[in-house]
Amino acid sequence: MRLWVCIVLLSIVLCASADRPAIVRAGEFVRDAVGGAWDMFRAYRDMREANYIGADKYFHARGNYDAARRGPGGAWAARVISDARENWQGGVSGRGAEDTRADQEANAWGRNGGDPNRYRPKGLPSKY
């Protein structure tokens, strides 16, 4: 619930432009954020389904890339979800700061428009 409240409030605040009404820009931001959250979920679901050793960074980059391509709302959702996941995972998984740093690097790479295939491991099925 907090996420949706934040999305609505940020969409109104962040979408200031003279060429379109604020409510239209806010609606676009929210639509992009919801779509970006779906992109992140789809990448996570595919990562779990693939269960392929060494593919973690690829799916991080791909989810962020797909979400950010939707626009500012998608990029915002990708950043919020990625940061929340890494903060939670850092305290639970025991993988350490180095893994978190590498995940965040892949997240930023995808979010900034970098090709996710940079992190694609050899042998990962073409389905993904």
Side-chain angles (χ1 to χ4, degrees):
M1 182 65 182
R2 287 184 185 171
L3 176 62
W4 294 114
V5 171
C6 289
I7 289 172
V8 170
L9 292 175
L10 284 173
S11 65
I12 292 169
V13 173
L14 295 175
C15 296
S17 175
D19 56 332
R20 290 180 291 162
I23 194 73
V24 171
R25 288 186 314 277
E28 290 171 354
F29 185 90
V30 170
R31 182 193 67 217
D32 292 348
V34 170
W38 173 251
D39 291 332
M40 296 293 288
F41 171 74
R42 192 177 65 228
Y44 176 75
R45 184 190 63 206
D46 288 349
M47 179 180 70
R48 298 287 303 223
E49 179 184 302
N51 195 26
Y52 196 85
I53 294 173
D56 178 51
K57 307 304 181 262
Y58 166 73
F59 287 108
H60 278 268
R62 195 192 86 186
N64 277 271
Y65 177 82
D66 291 345
R69 288 190 57 187
R70 291 182 180 273
W76 176 81
R79 186 175 53 253
V80 168
I81 292 168
S82 294
D83 289 348
R85 180 177 187 270
E86 292 306 321
N87 286 337
W88 177 80
Q89 184 177 337
V92 173
S93 75
R95 292 186 182 160
E98 183 60 27
D99 184 63
T100 295
R101 188 203 56 76
D103 285 351
Q104 288 290 41
E105 178 184 307
N107 293 337
W109 175 263
R111 208 169 30 248
N112 291 326
D115 184 3
N117 288 314
R118 172 184 182 182
Y119 297 98
R120 185 181 190 87
K122 289 187 188 282
L124 181 66
S126 60
K127 173 183 176 180
Y128 306 108

